[in-house]
Protein backbone atom coordinates (compact mmCIF):
# COMPACT_ATOMS: atom_id res chain seq x y z
CA UNK A 1 0.00 0.00 0.00
CA UNK A 2 1.28 3.46 -0.85
CA UNK A 3 1.79 6.08 1.84
CA UNK A 4 -1.05 8.23 0.46
CA UNK A 5 -3.49 5.33 0.74
CA UNK A 6 -2.46 4.63 4.34
CA UNK A 7 -3.08 8.27 5.16
CA UNK A 8 -6.42 8.30 3.36
CA UNK A 9 -7.70 5.25 5.24
CA UNK A 10 -6.30 6.56 8.50
CA UNK A 11 -7.98 9.93 8.09
CA UNK A 12 -11.26 8.23 7.24
CA UNK A 13 -11.35 5.67 10.06
CA UNK A 14 -8.65 5.86 12.74
CA UNK A 15 -9.06 7.65 16.05
CA UNK A 16 -5.56 8.05 17.55
CA UNK A 17 -4.64 7.95 21.25
CA UNK A 18 -3.91 11.13 23.18
CA UNK A 19 -4.62 13.26 20.13
CA UNK A 20 -6.91 16.11 19.16
CA UNK A 21 -7.79 14.62 15.78
CA UNK A 22 -8.22 18.09 14.31
CA UNK A 23 -4.47 18.65 14.77
CA UNK A 24 -4.02 16.18 11.93
CA UNK A 25 -5.36 18.82 9.55
CA UNK A 26 -2.06 20.63 10.10
CA UNK A 27 0.20 17.68 10.77
CA UNK A 28 -1.08 14.29 9.60
CA UNK A 29 0.23 11.17 11.37
CA UNK A 30 3.48 9.91 9.90
CA UNK A 31 3.24 6.44 8.37
CA UNK A 32 6.17 4.30 9.50
CA UNK A 33 7.38 1.58 7.19
CA UNK A 34 9.83 -0.18 9.49
CA UNK A 35 12.17 0.14 12.45
CA UNK A 36 15.92 -0.18 12.58
CA UNK A 37 17.67 0.01 15.96
CA UNK A 38 16.91 3.38 17.53
CA UNK A 39 15.40 4.61 14.27
CA UNK A 40 11.86 4.69 12.93
CA UNK A 41 11.96 4.70 9.13
CA UNK A 42 9.18 6.39 7.16
CA UNK A 43 7.88 5.52 3.69
CA UNK A 44 10.37 7.87 2.04
CA UNK A 45 13.30 6.26 3.82
CA UNK A 46 13.76 9.12 6.32
CA UNK A 47 15.23 7.93 9.61
CA UNK A 48 13.88 9.34 12.86
CA UNK A 49 15.64 8.74 16.17
CA UNK A 50 13.12 7.36 18.63
CA UNK A 51 13.99 9.67 21.52
CA UNK A 52 11.01 8.56 23.62
CA UNK A 53 11.34 4.80 23.08
CA UNK A 54 7.91 4.86 21.41
CA UNK A 55 6.01 5.85 24.55
CA UNK A 56 8.66 4.49 26.88
CA UNK A 57 8.38 0.87 25.82
CA UNK A 58 11.38 0.15 23.62
CA UNK A 59 14.55 -0.98 25.39
CA UNK A 60 16.99 -2.40 22.87
CA UNK A 61 15.93 -0.80 19.58
CA UNK A 62 13.44 -1.75 16.89
CA UNK A 63 13.66 -4.87 14.78
CA UNK A 64 15.95 -6.57 17.27
CA UNK A 65 17.31 -9.88 15.98
CA UNK A 66 17.07 -11.76 19.29
CA UNK A 67 13.56 -10.52 20.06
CA UNK A 68 12.46 -11.23 16.49
CA UNK A 69 13.76 -14.78 16.87
CA UNK A 70 12.07 -15.29 20.24
CA UNK A 71 8.78 -14.19 18.70
CA UNK A 72 9.10 -16.40 15.65
CA UNK A 73 10.09 -19.43 17.70
CA UNK A 74 7.12 -19.06 20.00
CA UNK A 75 4.77 -18.40 17.06
CA UNK A 76 5.80 -21.78 15.67
CA UNK A 77 4.57 -23.41 18.90
CA UNK A 78 1.44 -21.51 19.91
CA UNK A 79 0.46 -17.85 19.80
CA UNK A 80 -2.09 -17.86 22.57
CA UNK A 81 -4.15 -20.10 24.78
CA UNK A 82 -6.42 -19.63 27.76
CA UNK A 83 -4.46 -18.98 30.96
CA UNK A 84 -7.05 -20.18 33.46
CA UNK A 85 -6.55 -23.88 34.13
CA UNK A 86 -3.60 -23.98 31.68
CA UNK A 87 -0.06 -22.74 31.78
CA UNK A 88 3.06 -22.66 29.63
CA UNK A 89 6.82 -22.49 29.92
CA UNK A 90 7.35 -18.80 29.00
CA UNK A 91 4.90 -17.58 31.68
CA UNK A 92 6.26 -19.90 34.37
CA UNK A 93 9.85 -19.04 33.49
CA UNK A 94 9.14 -15.32 33.34
CA UNK A 95 7.32 -15.30 36.68
CA UNK A 96 10.15 -17.18 38.38
CA UNK A 97 12.82 -14.92 36.90
CA UNK A 98 10.94 -11.72 37.81
CA UNK A 99 10.62 -12.90 41.41
CA UNK A 100 14.37 -13.55 41.49
CA UNK A 101 15.21 -10.11 40.12
CA UNK A 102 12.57 -7.96 41.83
CA UNK A 103 13.08 -6.49 45.30
CA UNK A 104 13.16 -9.32 47.86
CA UNK A 105 9.86 -10.60 49.21
CA UNK A 106 7.85 -10.42 45.98
CA UNK A 107 7.03 -14.00 45.17
CA UNK A 108 3.82 -14.07 43.15
CA UNK A 109 3.08 -12.71 39.68
CA UNK A 110 -0.34 -11.88 38.25
CA UNK A 111 -0.51 -11.32 34.48
CA UNK A 112 -2.40 -8.67 32.51
CA UNK A 113 -1.83 -7.00 29.18
CA UNK A 114 -1.26 -3.28 29.68
CA UNK A 115 -0.06 -0.88 32.33
CA UNK A 116 -3.44 0.46 33.35
CA UNK A 117 -4.66 -3.10 33.88
CA UNK A 118 -1.66 -3.84 36.12
CA UNK A 119 -2.65 -0.85 38.22
CA UNK A 120 -6.29 -1.99 38.37
CA UNK A 121 -5.07 -5.39 39.52
CA UNK A 122 -2.94 -3.83 42.26
CA UNK A 123 -5.80 -1.64 43.53
CA UNK A 124 -8.30 -4.49 43.49
CA UNK A 125 -5.87 -6.90 45.18
CA UNK A 126 -5.08 -4.39 47.88
CA UNK A 127 -8.75 -3.62 48.52
CA UNK A 128 -9.77 -7.28 48.53
CA UNK A 129 -6.89 -8.20 50.82
CA UNK A 130 -8.13 -5.85 53.52
CA UNK A 131 -11.70 -7.10 53.08
CA UNK A 132 -10.53 -10.68 53.50
CA UNK A 133 -8.35 -10.09 56.53
CA UNK A 134 -11.30 -8.37 58.21
CA UNK A 135 -10.23 -4.72 58.03
CA UNK A 136 -13.22 -3.70 56.01
CA UNK A 137 -13.05 0.04 56.40
CA UNK A 138 -9.79 0.22 54.43
CA UNK A 139 -11.32 1.18 51.11
CA UNK A 140 -9.47 4.26 49.88
CA UNK A 141 -6.22 4.92 48.09
CA UNK A 142 -3.72 7.72 48.40
CA UNK A 143 -1.98 9.14 45.36
CA UNK A 144 0.18 12.12 44.51
CA UNK A 145 -0.60 15.34 42.71
CA UNK A 146 0.32 15.09 39.03
CA UNK A 147 0.58 11.32 39.26
CA UNK A 148 -0.12 9.18 36.21
CA UNK A 149 -1.12 5.53 36.50
CA UNK A 150 -3.09 4.94 33.33
CA UNK A 151 -6.43 5.85 31.89
CA UNK A 152 -8.95 3.21 32.82
CA UNK A 153 -11.32 4.52 35.46
CA UNK A 154 -9.62 2.93 38.48
CA UNK A 155 -6.17 4.02 37.32
CA UNK A 156 -7.46 7.46 36.46
CA UNK A 157 -8.96 7.74 39.95
CA UNK A 158 -5.46 7.57 41.44
CA UNK A 159 -4.06 9.89 38.79
CA UNK A 160 -3.40 13.55 39.35
CA UNK A 161 -3.01 15.01 35.87
CA UNK A 162 -6.07 17.18 35.30
CA UNK A 163 -5.51 17.08 31.56
CA UNK A 164 -6.52 13.42 31.43
CA UNK A 165 -8.84 13.33 34.36
CA UNK A 166 -10.89 16.39 35.17
CA UNK A 167 -13.82 15.70 32.84
CA UNK A 168 -14.26 12.19 34.27
CA UNK A 169 -14.17 13.31 37.91
CA UNK A 170 -17.88 12.59 38.54
CA UNK A 171 -17.36 8.92 37.68
CA UNK A 172 -14.05 8.33 39.48
CA UNK A 173 -13.43 6.59 42.81
CA UNK A 174 -12.97 8.82 45.78
CA UNK A 175 -9.52 8.81 47.33
CA UNK A 176 -6.96 11.05 48.94
CA UNK A 177 -4.48 13.12 47.00
CA UNK A 178 -1.40 14.63 48.59
CA UNK A 179 1.22 17.00 47.26
CA UNK A 180 3.90 15.04 45.42
CA UNK A 181 7.59 15.88 45.32
CA UNK A 182 8.37 18.84 43.08
CA UNK A 183 12.11 19.35 43.31
CA UNK A 184 12.31 22.08 40.67
CA UNK A 185 9.85 24.27 42.55
CA UNK A 186 10.57 22.85 46.00
CA UNK A 187 8.35 24.56 48.58
CA UNK A 188 11.00 23.79 51.23
CA UNK A 189 13.82 25.46 49.23
CA UNK A 190 15.85 22.20 49.33
CA UNK A 191 18.02 20.51 46.70
CA UNK A 192 17.08 17.05 45.53
CA UNK A 193 20.65 15.82 45.99
CA UNK A 194 20.75 16.71 49.67
CA UNK A 195 17.18 16.92 50.96
CA UNK A 196 15.56 14.55 53.41
CA UNK A 197 12.24 14.33 51.55
CA UNK A 198 10.76 17.02 53.79
CA UNK A 199 7.85 17.15 51.36
CA UNK A 200 6.56 13.81 52.63
CA UNK A 201 5.10 15.59 55.67
CA UNK A 202 1.64 15.96 54.11
CA UNK A 203 1.62 12.24 53.32
CA UNK A 204 2.76 11.46 56.84
CA UNK A 205 0.02 13.55 58.39
CA UNK A 206 -2.65 11.95 56.22
CA UNK A 207 -1.48 8.40 56.87
CA UNK A 208 -1.24 8.90 60.61
CA UNK A 209 -4.71 10.44 60.75
CA UNK A 210 -6.64 8.39 58.21
CA UNK A 211 -4.88 5.03 57.98
CA UNK A 212 -7.91 3.19 59.24
CA UNK A 213 -9.70 3.90 55.98
CA UNK A 214 -6.64 3.69 53.70
CA UNK A 215 -5.86 0.50 51.78
CA UNK A 216 -2.76 1.67 49.98
CA UNK A 217 -0.57 4.43 48.62
CA UNK A 218 0.33 4.32 44.95
CA UNK A 219 3.26 6.22 43.47
CA UNK A 220 5.63 6.31 40.50
CA UNK A 221 9.03 5.72 42.11
CA UNK A 222 11.81 8.29 41.43
CA UNK A 223 10.27 9.83 38.31
CA UNK A 224 6.75 11.15 37.93
CA UNK A 225 6.67 10.55 34.20
CA UNK A 226 3.63 12.21 32.67
CA UNK A 227 3.97 15.07 35.18
CA UNK A 228 7.01 16.11 33.12
CA UNK A 229 9.69 13.61 34.17
CA UNK A 230 9.78 15.05 37.68
CA UNK A 231 12.78 13.45 39.31
CA UNK A 232 12.89 13.01 43.08
CA UNK A 233 15.32 11.26 45.42
CA UNK A 234 15.22 7.68 46.81
CA UNK A 235 14.96 8.93 50.38
CA UNK A 236 11.29 9.66 49.61
CA UNK A 237 10.71 5.97 48.88
CA UNK A 238 12.49 4.89 52.05
CA UNK A 239 10.36 7.22 54.16
CA UNK A 240 7.18 6.18 52.39
CA UNK A 241 7.97 2.49 52.91
CA UNK A 242 8.48 3.11 56.64
CA UNK A 243 5.28 5.10 56.90
CA UNK A 244 3.23 2.47 55.08
CA UNK A 245 4.58 -0.26 57.34
CA UNK A 246 3.93 1.83 60.44
CA UNK A 247 0.36 2.66 59.36
CA UNK A 248 -0.53 -0.77 58.00
CA UNK A 249 -1.12 0.50 54.50
CA UNK A 250 0.07 -1.09 51.25
CA UNK A 251 2.90 0.56 49.40
CA UNK A 252 2.02 0.13 45.71
CA UNK A 253 4.86 0.94 43.30
CA UNK A 254 3.98 1.69 39.71
CA UNK A 255 7.24 0.96 37.88
CA UNK A 256 5.48 0.68 34.55
CA UNK A 257 7.55 3.53 33.13
CA UNK A 258 10.65 3.43 35.33
CA UNK A 259 11.21 -0.33 35.53
CA UNK A 260 13.57 -2.32 33.34
CA UNK A 261 16.70 -0.21 33.51
CA UNK A 262 15.39 3.30 32.89
CA UNK A 263 16.74 4.59 36.22
CA UNK A 264 20.08 2.82 35.79
CA UNK A 265 18.97 -0.17 37.88
CA UNK A 266 16.60 -2.89 36.82
CA UNK A 267 13.93 -1.53 39.20
CA UNK A 268 13.70 1.96 40.68
CA UNK A 269 13.02 0.63 44.19
CA UNK A 270 16.53 -0.84 44.23
CA UNK A 271 17.91 2.70 44.63
CA UNK A 272 16.15 2.92 47.98
CA UNK A 273 16.47 -0.71 49.05
CA UNK A 274 12.67 -0.84 49.39
CA UNK A 275 10.23 -3.61 48.63
CA UNK A 276 6.69 -2.58 47.74
CA UNK A 277 3.71 -4.71 48.71
CA UNK A 278 2.53 -4.58 45.12
CA UNK A 279 4.72 -3.80 42.12
CA UNK A 280 3.25 -2.97 38.69
CA UNK A 281 5.37 -3.55 35.58
CA UNK A 282 4.66 -3.25 31.87
CA UNK A 283 6.07 -1.22 28.92
CA UNK A 284 9.75 -2.31 28.79
CA UNK A 285 8.90 -5.81 29.99
CA UNK A 286 8.76 -6.97 26.35
CA UNK A 287 11.33 -4.47 25.07
CA UNK A 288 8.51 -2.70 23.25
CA UNK A 289 7.35 -5.73 21.27
CA UNK A 290 4.07 -6.92 22.74
CA UNK A 291 1.48 -5.72 25.24
CA UNK A 292 2.14 -7.40 28.59
CA UNK A 293 1.88 -6.37 32.21
CA UNK A 294 2.39 -7.98 35.58
CA UNK A 295 1.59 -7.17 39.17
CA UNK A 296 3.96 -8.74 41.67
CA UNK A 297 3.04 -9.25 45.27
CA UNK A 298 4.06 -10.89 48.51
CA UNK A 299 3.30 -14.25 50.03
CA UNK A 300 1.33 -12.47 52.75
CA UNK A 301 -1.10 -10.85 50.31
CA UNK A 302 -1.36 -14.04 48.24
CA UNK A 303 -2.23 -16.08 51.33
CA UNK A 304 -5.26 -13.90 52.08
CA UNK A 305 -6.82 -15.15 48.83
CA UNK A 306 -5.81 -18.81 49.17
CA UNK A 307 -8.61 -20.90 50.61
CA UNK A 308 -11.40 -23.33 49.76
CA UNK A 309 -13.46 -22.19 46.79
CA UNK A 310 -16.61 -21.79 48.87
CA UNK A 311 -14.98 -19.07 50.95
CA UNK A 312 -15.19 -16.91 47.77
CA UNK A 313 -11.76 -15.44 48.42
CA UNK A 314 -10.30 -16.03 44.97
CA UNK A 315 -9.04 -13.10 42.94
CA UNK A 316 -11.39 -13.37 39.98
CA UNK A 317 -9.85 -10.66 37.80
CA UNK A 318 -9.17 -11.86 34.26
CA UNK A 319 -8.24 -10.70 30.78
CA UNK A 320 -8.61 -12.77 27.60
CA UNK A 321 -4.94 -12.28 26.77
CA UNK A 322 -3.62 -12.91 30.31
CA UNK A 323 -0.20 -14.50 30.15
CA UNK A 324 -0.02 -14.36 26.35
CA UNK A 325 2.74 -16.85 25.35
CA UNK A 326 4.22 -14.66 22.59
CA UNK A 327 4.58 -11.72 24.96
CA UNK A 328 5.96 -13.91 27.77
CA UNK A 329 8.50 -15.55 25.44
CA UNK A 330 9.79 -12.14 24.42
CA UNK A 331 9.88 -10.97 28.03
CA UNK A 332 12.00 -13.99 28.97
CA UNK A 333 14.38 -13.07 26.14
CA UNK A 334 14.48 -9.43 27.32
CA UNK A 335 15.70 -10.59 30.74
CA UNK A 336 18.31 -12.82 29.09
CA UNK A 337 19.54 -9.87 27.01
CA UNK A 338 19.85 -7.72 30.14
CA UNK A 339 22.06 -10.36 31.68
CA UNK A 340 24.05 -11.71 28.74
CA UNK A 341 24.69 -8.38 27.07
CA UNK A 342 25.38 -6.61 30.38
CA UNK A 343 22.96 -3.84 29.47
CA UNK A 344 22.95 -2.18 32.90
CA UNK A 345 26.71 -2.34 33.29
CA UNK A 346 27.14 -0.61 29.93
CA UNK A 347 24.78 2.27 30.75
CA UNK A 348 27.28 4.39 32.70
CA UNK A 349 28.89 6.16 29.72
CA UNK A 350 25.48 6.92 28.20
CA UNK A 351 24.17 8.32 31.49
CA UNK A 352 27.32 10.46 31.78
CA UNK A 353 26.83 11.66 28.23
CA UNK A 354 23.25 12.69 29.01
CA UNK A 355 24.41 14.51 32.13
CA UNK A 356 27.21 16.24 30.23
CA UNK A 357 24.57 17.87 28.02
CA UNK A 358 23.12 19.74 31.02
CA UNK A 359 25.26 22.92 30.81
CA UNK A 360 24.50 23.35 27.13
CA UNK A 361 20.77 23.33 27.77
CA UNK A 362 20.81 25.35 30.98
CA UNK A 363 22.83 28.07 29.24
CA UNK A 364 19.65 28.85 27.30
CA UNK A 365 17.65 31.64 28.90
CA UNK A 366 14.38 29.76 28.48
CA UNK A 367 15.53 26.59 30.23
CA UNK A 368 14.52 26.44 33.89
CA UNK A 369 16.02 23.08 34.75
CA UNK A 370 17.82 20.09 33.30
CA UNK A 371 17.14 17.01 35.40
CA UNK A 372 18.14 13.40 35.00
CA UNK A 373 17.61 10.03 36.59
CA UNK A 374 19.41 7.13 34.93
CA UNK A 375 18.68 7.12 31.21
CA UNK A 376 15.84 9.62 31.50
CA UNK A 377 16.49 13.35 31.25
CA UNK A 378 14.25 16.38 30.92
CA UNK A 379 14.60 20.03 30.00
CA UNK A 380 11.90 22.28 31.47
CA UNK A 381 11.18 25.34 29.37
CA UNK A 382 10.08 28.47 31.21
CA UNK A 383 8.91 31.86 30.19
CA UNK A 384 10.86 33.47 32.99
CA UNK A 385 13.76 31.65 34.57
CA UNK A 386 14.03 33.67 37.75
CA UNK A 387 10.41 33.24 38.67
CA UNK A 388 10.31 29.69 37.18
CA UNK A 389 7.20 30.89 35.37
CA UNK A 390 5.87 28.37 32.87
CA UNK A 391 4.83 29.26 29.36
CA UNK A 392 1.04 29.43 29.07
CA UNK A 393 -0.10 25.96 27.98
CA UNK A 394 -2.17 27.50 25.19
CA UNK A 395 1.05 28.42 23.38
CA UNK A 396 1.78 24.71 22.91
CA UNK A 397 5.54 25.17 22.95
CA UNK A 398 5.99 21.44 23.40
CA UNK A 399 4.10 20.74 20.19
CA UNK A 400 6.29 23.27 18.41
CA UNK A 401 9.41 21.44 19.70
CA UNK A 402 7.92 18.16 18.48
CA UNK A 403 7.48 19.58 14.98
CA UNK A 404 10.92 21.21 14.84
CA UNK A 405 12.59 18.01 16.07
CA UNK A 406 10.66 15.80 13.66
CA UNK A 407 11.74 17.97 10.73
CA UNK A 408 15.34 17.44 11.90
CA UNK A 409 15.03 13.68 12.31
CA UNK A 410 14.14 13.00 15.95
CA UNK A 411 11.00 11.93 17.74
CA UNK A 412 10.60 13.99 20.89
CA UNK A 413 7.16 14.23 22.40
CA UNK A 414 7.28 16.92 25.05
CA UNK A 415 4.96 16.86 28.04
CA UNK A 416 3.63 20.40 28.15
CA UNK A 417 6.72 22.60 28.44
CA UNK A 418 9.01 19.71 29.31
CA UNK A 419 11.19 18.26 26.58
CA UNK A 420 12.47 14.88 27.69
CA UNK A 421 14.74 12.10 26.54
CA UNK A 422 13.97 8.47 27.19
CA UNK A 423 15.84 6.72 24.38
CA UNK A 424 16.32 2.96 24.06
CA UNK A 425 18.97 1.84 26.57
CA UNK A 426 21.19 0.63 23.73
CA UNK A 427 21.45 3.99 21.95
CA UNK A 428 25.09 4.54 21.00
CA UNK A 429 27.22 7.64 21.64
CA UNK A 430 26.76 9.13 18.15
CA UNK A 431 23.03 8.53 18.11
CA UNK A 432 22.64 10.12 21.54
CA UNK A 433 24.73 13.09 20.42
CA UNK A 434 22.46 13.57 17.41
CA UNK A 435 19.36 13.32 19.56
CA UNK A 436 20.66 15.93 22.01
CA UNK A 437 21.78 18.16 19.17
CA UNK A 438 18.42 18.05 17.45
CA UNK A 439 16.64 18.74 20.72
CA UNK A 440 18.89 21.72 21.34
CA UNK A 441 18.22 23.15 17.89
CA UNK A 442 14.48 22.56 18.21
CA UNK A 443 14.38 24.29 21.60
CA UNK A 444 16.34 27.25 20.28
CA UNK A 445 14.01 27.51 17.28
CA UNK A 446 10.94 27.46 19.50
CA UNK A 447 12.08 29.69 22.34
CA UNK A 448 13.58 32.40 20.17
CA UNK A 449 10.26 33.06 18.48
N1 LIG B 1 1.65 3.95 34.86
C1 LIG B 1 2.64 4.73 34.41
C2 LIG B 1 3.65 5.27 35.36
C3 LIG B 1 2.72 5.02 33.04
O1 LIG B 1 3.69 5.82 32.60
C4 LIG B 1 1.76 4.47 32.16
C5 LIG B 1 1.78 4.74 30.67
N2 LIG B 1 2.37 5.90 30.25
C6 LIG B 1 0.76 3.65 32.69
C7 LIG B 1 0.73 3.41 34.05
C8 LIG B 1 -0.32 3.07 31.83
O2 LIG B 1 0.17 2.08 30.99
P1 LIG B 1 -0.66 1.71 29.66
O3 LIG B 1 -0.53 2.90 28.76
O4 LIG B 1 0.02 0.50 29.14
O5 LIG B 1 -2.05 1.45 30.08
Amino acid sequence: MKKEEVLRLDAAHVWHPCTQQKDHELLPPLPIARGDGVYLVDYDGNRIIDGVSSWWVNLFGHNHPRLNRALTEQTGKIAHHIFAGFTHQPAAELAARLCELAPPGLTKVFFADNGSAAVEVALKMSFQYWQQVGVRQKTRFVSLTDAYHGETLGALSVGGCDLYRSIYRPILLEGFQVQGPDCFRCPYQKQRESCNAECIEQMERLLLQEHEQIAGVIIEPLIQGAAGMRVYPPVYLRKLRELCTRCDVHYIADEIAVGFGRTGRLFANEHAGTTPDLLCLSKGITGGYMPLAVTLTSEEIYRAFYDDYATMKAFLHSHSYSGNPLACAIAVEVLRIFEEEQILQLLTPRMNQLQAAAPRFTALAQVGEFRRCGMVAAVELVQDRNGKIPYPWQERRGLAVYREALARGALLRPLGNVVYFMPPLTINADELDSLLDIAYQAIVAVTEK
Side-chain angles (χ1 to χ4, degrees), residues 32 34 146 328 335 344:
I32 292 301
R34 60 192 184 86
D146 298 302
C328 291
L335 293 177
L344 295 175

Side-chain angles (χ1 to χ4, degrees), residues 10 74 79 117 152 170 220 320 329:
D10 183 285
Q74 183 57 40
T152 51
E220 298 159 85
S320 314

Side-chain angles (χ1 to χ4, degrees), residues 192 195-197 200 222 233-240 272:
R192 65 164 75 75
C195 79
N196 198 24
I200 207 161
L222 300 192
V235 59
Y236 189 94
L237 304 184
R238 276 197 290 278
K239 286 189 151 182
L240 180 63

Side-chain angles (χ1 to χ4, degrees), residues 278-341:
L278 294 136
L279 172 65
C280 305
L281 303 171
S282 185
K283 291 193 187 275
I285 192 169
T286 60
Y289 263 59
M290 297 280 293
L292 180 69
V294 289
T295 304
L296 274 69
T297 194
S298 62
E299 215 53 34
E300 187 192 339
I301 291 184
Y302 179 77
R303 282 280 142 198
F305 293 75
Y306 194 90
D307 209 334
D308 294 331
Y309 183 78
T311 62
M312 298 312 277
K313 285 185 178 172
F315 187 59
L316 294 180
H317 189 98
S318 56
H319 294 287
S320 314
Y321 282 96
S322 297
N324 174 255
L326 297 176
C328 291
I330 294 172
V332 168
E333 189 68 4
V334 163
L335 293 177
R336 285 196 194 118
I337 292 173
F338 263 112
E339 193 184 339
E340 292 165 17
E341 302 187 12

